[in-house]
Amino acid sequence: MTDRLEYPTLAITALKRWAPPPALAGFVALLIVMFAVAYGVGASAGPVAPGMRSTEVDGPGFVGDLGRPHGHTGGTGGTR
C-alpha cells in the first residue's frame, strides 16, 4: 500500500530535457515585455510627421532627366 510512483517520471524527465534553460526563457520574456512597452509608447506618441506623404511619379522618369532611365542596370551595362 505504500507503493508510490517514482519521481521524476518519464514524462517529467522528458520535459526537463527539452525545456529551455530558465535564463533563456527569462530573456525571451524580457524581450516580449520590452517590445510591448515600445509599441505602447509609439502608439501613444502618434505619428512623427503626420503631414508627410509619399510622392507619386508619373511615368518612368522625373522632370529634367532627359528621358534616361535611372537606377542600377543589374550588371548588364545598360542601354545607350
Side-chain angles (χ1 to χ4, degrees), residues 10-21:
L10 182 61
I12 293 174
T13 305
L15 284 175
K16 285 184 179 181
R17 183 183 314 154
W18 294 106

Side-chain angles (χ1 to χ4, degrees), residues 38-53:
Y39 181 81
V41 169
S44 68
V48 175
M52 183 183 290
R53 300 282 184 255

Side-chain angles (χ1 to χ4, degrees), residues 23-33:
L24 178 63
F27 178 71
V28 170
L30 179 65
L31 281 178
I32 291 170
V33 168

Side-chain angles (χ1 to χ4, degrees), residues 51-64:
M52 183 183 290
R53 300 282 184 255
S54 64
T55 58
E56 295 293 325
V57 177
D58 295 334
F62 297 101
V63 175

